[in-house]
Amino acid sequence: MRRFLERNYKWIVTGMLLFVAIVSTLGAWNDSLIFDEDAHIPAGYSYVTEHDLRLNPEHPPLLKDFAGLMLLPLHLKFDTTKPFWTTDINGQWDAGHDLLWQEGNNADLAIFLSRLPFVLLAILFGLFLFKWGCELAGIEAGLFALALYAFDPNILGHNHFVTTDLGIAAFMTFSFYYFLRFVKNPTWKNMIVGGIFLGLVQLVKFSSITLFPIYGLVLLIYPFTKINRDGENNWKFKFKKLGEYLGKGVLAFGVSLIVVWGVYFMNIYKMPEQKLTDTIENYFPHDDQSASARAVNSVTVGLNKSIITRPLSGYILGIAMVFKRVDGGNGAYFMGQVSSHAFHAYFPTVFAIKEPLINLLLMLTALLLSFWVGLKILIKKFSGDEPADKKLRLTLKDAIRHNIVSISLFSFVFLYAYISITGNLNIGFRHLFPILPFIYLLTANTIFHYLKRLDKYARFNWHIVLAFLLLFLAAGTISAYPNYMSYFNQSAGGPKNGFHYATDSNADWGQDLKRLKIWVDDYNNCARNADICEKCCMKNNSPLFPEAFSLGPIDQIHIDYFGGANTHYYFGDQALDWWDSKRPIETGWYAVSTNFLMGSIHDSERADEMSYRWIQNLTPVTQVGTSIFVYYVTPEQAAAAK
């Protein structure tokens, strides 16, 4: 098995990355505009054309720059005389609505092109994981880590959107890799490269600040595990190493700030001082009751006074906005409840029901193997004649020095998971993406280091089992196409039923509006051509009862859509705007996003006559994709509805 993989690994890597490329590109074209892209795409285009950060300042600009650059050849019409640019504070949503749906631009082409850099990043990220996995435990481990990544439906479902989720996972991995390279060999070159990537990750998402505690602890602890080349240990040597690491660490942080300043400068240098001041004052007034808000105002307004320091003002403002949003929470549906306060069970639950069961099994196997191997080492160490306390010290020191990569990655996974669970923002499994690549690498590293301890026969059996599991994983992922963004594993009933547990970006982010348009057109074709009704029904696997075609064509449809796309752009006058509290209930066709549906039904503070509880008595005609239910309401049902 090992020889086969060593001879053919390039073809295997190419095949997996080609799968990622094809699926992601198809998703980039077929998925309609999701909610957050409605803000990110116009922001990115404004950055590269106007060099002004007034839109979407709560996220750093780097990834949006990539999207904006792809749109330059289209010469999109972007009207900066409208209120979203001139008078509004952070008019990002109106800007997106105008750029994509109101100015006559080709929205589908613009959305597709803006997504392509993220598809490319997904491919490069997979190649990087393979490289790092190979360095940790050989080609087999590299292929294993890549397989966990390439066939994770959650990654495939999000890796083509103009959002920060895949980007922060990728750049955190890049940054960690080059930081650990510096830790192992603190040369000036490694310090500079590590600093550059530390700067880049800060330009992707502000959650990158969670790296700093781990980096700081490693820089403080690792020097004390170092020994002289002649094997002589002494405190003078250790403190000298500590000074070297801390000194170069500070310089690396300085390099990162230069990178941050440079990219922010290119994106903000044409932004008027007063516009940034107005934005600061809107979110953090100078007379706010909160001392922290007043401090943010003082610092950012002060930095804004000079074009040289203005980039740092924009950067600090963005960080402060993120903290403010997290503190404020976000309304979310989770397992029959709706709340703006965090559920502590949220992230553990969505991790357990959205990751493929094979992945969970392999992760659990790696965790158990780690405990088992560690226990055996401790038993062996304590079974000799040396004092137990001395042996423990040696064990800890040797473990840190020889396993700094695994310890660092595991520490970050633990810290990030803890922050996510105890935080006040429950809007999707995607927020756990930064820990996924580290879990893939730790799983591969643990399993394949363990296999090296086994005899040839046992290792062969393990290889067969692992190969079978990965093939099963790949088959399950392929069979789930195209419902990757809304993927749930079998324990939650699969992608079609996951919305019962959690919505928002777990299940419904607006990805299925174009599919709804296709379904309506196909349905009308069937309804108007009775001789092909049966064929059409089988083709779409859609009407849940055949008599649906007897209702006649869909001339108009009430749509309550959660997402970034514009219903009238695709449906024209065929679409009737609807929402849960709109009354009276009318006879006819309805299409309702599951995010609105579940949030309305389970909101205990919402009265029946202001909700969708009446719709629970109806049988849906179809479920489009996974996120939109289509209903037909008869006159009797409309009269009975509250």
Side-chain angles (χ1 to χ4, degrees), residues 536-552:
C536 191
C537 179
M538 293 177 61
K539 170 186 173 184
N540 291 292
N541 191 28
S542 46
L544 300 184
F545 49 92
E547 59 268 24
F549 291 120
S550 66
L551 301 172

Side-chain angles (χ1 to χ4, degrees), residues 323-355:
F323 276 106
K324 182 176 182 178
R325 188 191 176 198
V326 172
D327 287 341
N330 192 88
Y333 166 79
F334 177 61
M335 297 186 70
Q337 301 180 67
V338 176
S339 176
S340 60
H341 298 290
F343 302 96
H344 290 316
Y346 182 88
F347 282 112
T349 302
V350 297
F351 188 92
I353 62 179
K354 282 191 67 66
E355 269 295 282

Side-chain angles (χ1 to χ4, degrees), residues 1-9 140 456:
M1 178 71 74
R2 183 176 182 180
R3 291 181 179 178
F4 171 80
L5 293 177
E6 289 177 347
R7 288 196 302 266
N8 298 281
Y9 76 89
E140 295 166 293
K456 183 177 180 181

Side-chain angles (χ1 to χ4, degrees), residues 227-262:
I227 58 175
N228 284 327
R229 292 181 179 178
D230 58 7
E232 180 181 338
N233 282 298
N234 57 74
W235 286 105
K236 181 179 179 181
F237 170 79
K238 294 180 185 297
F239 277 106
K240 180 180 178 181
K241 281 295 177 183
L242 177 62
E244 179 185 7
Y245 274 95
L246 291 181
K248 290 184 177 179
V250 170
L251 290 175
F253 179 69
V255 170
S256 76
L257 290 182
I258 293 173
V259 173
V260 169
W261 180 90

Side-chain angles (χ1 to χ4, degrees), residues 203-221:
L203 290 164
V204 172
K205 195 171 186 176
F206 292 120
S207 58
S208 58
I209 61 176
T210 55
L211 292 173
F212 291 125
I214 302 300
Y215 286 9
L217 284 174
V218 172
L219 292 178
L220 286 172
I221 295 173

Side-chain angles (χ1 to χ4, degrees), residues 490-547:
Q490 292 87 339
S491 69
K496 292 282 186 179
N497 295 294
F499 69 91
H500 290 292
Y501 297 87
T503 53
D504 209 280
S505 60
N506 297 300
D508 176 13
W509 219 5
Q511 72 275 13
D512 287 326
L513 186 65
K514 291 169 71 174
R515 295 183 179 93
L516 175 64
K517 174 59 175 173
I518 292 172
W519 182 86
V520 168
D521 289 345
D522 285 347
Y523 175 90
N524 282 340
N525 187 37
C526 290
R528 294 186 176 104
N529 298 276
D531 58 324
I532 62 170
C533 276
E534 182 178 354
K535 178 181 178 182
C536 191
C537 179
M538 293 177 61
K539 170 186 173 184
N540 291 292
N541 191 28
S542 46
L544 300 184
F545 49 92
E547 59 268 24

